[in-house]
Amino acid sequence: HCRQHGMSLSEIRALLAFSDNPNSSCDWINELIKQHIEDVEKQIEDLIHLKNHLENLYHKCDGGKKDGCGILKSLIEGEMCMYCQKDKLNIA
C-alpha cells in the first residue's frame, strides 16, 4: 500500500521500524503524509500546465495546411508557451 501511495523504500523502512517499536511520537508520520500531499499537488499543477500547453499547440493546427504544420512551426521556432510565461512571471 505504501508504494501505491508514492512512498520511497526508505520511508517504508522507517514506517515498518516504527510499527515494530511504536514507543515514540508518530508526528513525523503526519509530516511525511503532508509532504506527499504537497508533492501530489505540485504534480497536478504541472499536469494542468502541460495540458494547457498541449491544447494551445493543438489549436495551432487547422489540418491539411500546405505551408506547414502550425504545431511543428511553434515547436521548431521555440515559441514561448503563454502558460510558461505566466509561471515565470508568477502571474495568477
Side-chain angles (χ1 to χ4, degrees):
H1 285 103
C2 292
R3 289 299 292 152
Q4 290 174 337
H5 289 84
M7 294 183 188
S8 69
L9 293 178
S10 63
E11 291 168 336
I12 295 169
R13 275 190 220 97
L15 288 168
L16 288 172
F18 181 81
S19 71
D20 289 341
N21 188 16
N23 294 330
S24 60
S25 170
C26 65
D27 288 341
W28 67 273
I29 297 174
N30 278 337
E31 287 301 316
L32 173 69
I33 298 303
K34 181 181 174 186
Q35 183 59 53
H36 279 276
I37 291 169
E38 291 171 3
D39 292 345
V40 168
E41 287 172 344
K42 176 67 172 130
Q43 290 173 355
I44 291 169
E45 187 180 303
D46 291 345
L47 287 171
I48 290 170
H49 170 90
L50 176 59
K51 178 183 177 270
N52 290 336
H53 185 87
L54 291 171
E55 286 175 342
N56 185 45
L57 282 173
Y58 176 77
H59 293 294
K60 291 187 178 278
C61 181
D62 52 2
K65 279 176 77 174
K66 294 187 180 199
D67 62 347
C69 175
I71 294 172
L72 287 177
K73 182 178 177 192
S74 293
L75 291 171
I76 291 169
E77 291 176 358
E79 181 178 305
M80 280 301 294
C81 162
M82 61 191 256
Y83 305 102
C84 298
Q85 291 173 340
K86 186 187 301 183
D87 289 346
K88 287 183 181 181
L89 296 174
N90 201 18
I91 298 172

